[in-house]
Amino acid sequence: SHNTTATPFTAEISSNPSTYTADIPKREAIKAEFLHGYHAYKRDAWGYDDYHPITQRGSNGMGLSWTMIDSLSTLYIMNLTEDIQDS
């Protein structure tokens, strides 16, 4: 039998991308939360691989600034060019 119960992962997706609309308040809230964490990393653990927000310290596993590198794609997608230049 076919399960017709809808879940968040089985919602119908439009085949026409022009019908998609941006949820601006949600987008800005996500951006603000990302920046909150990213700026805390810059303040407390710049150059370290990992950031520990409870202790507000960084640590190194390999010493390659992985958090900084990993953040670059998100900074790019969010068009945060000033922060990209700092990285």
Side-chain angles (χ1 to χ4, degrees):
S1 77
H2 180 68
N3 182 356
T4 59
T5 305
T7 69
F9 304 106
T10 61
E12 186 175 328
I13 298 174
S14 171
S15 61
N16 183 358
S18 67
T19 64
Y20 297 160
T21 58
D23 185 337
I24 304 300
K26 186 182 287 184
R27 181 183 69 189
E28 294 305 313
I30 291 167
K31 190 175 184 179
E33 289 302 315
F34 170 79
L35 285 172
H36 173 77
Y38 183 74
H39 289 150
Y41 165 72
K42 282 178 65 174
R43 180 191 67 228
D44 300 328
W46 191 246
Y48 286 96
D49 289 344
D50 302 305
Y51 177 53
H52 309 282
I54 293 173
T55 60
Q56 296 181 325
R57 300 203 188 290
S59 66
N60 276 324
M62 299 188 68
L64 299 173
S65 304
W66 286 120
T67 298
M68 184 188 317
I69 293 166
D70 188 45
S71 298
L72 287 173
S73 59
T74 304
L75 291 166
Y76 180 79
I77 290 167
M78 292 184 173
N79 197 31
L80 298 167
T81 54
E82 185 175 314
D83 286 298
I84 291 172
Q85 291 174 359
D86 290 345
S87 297

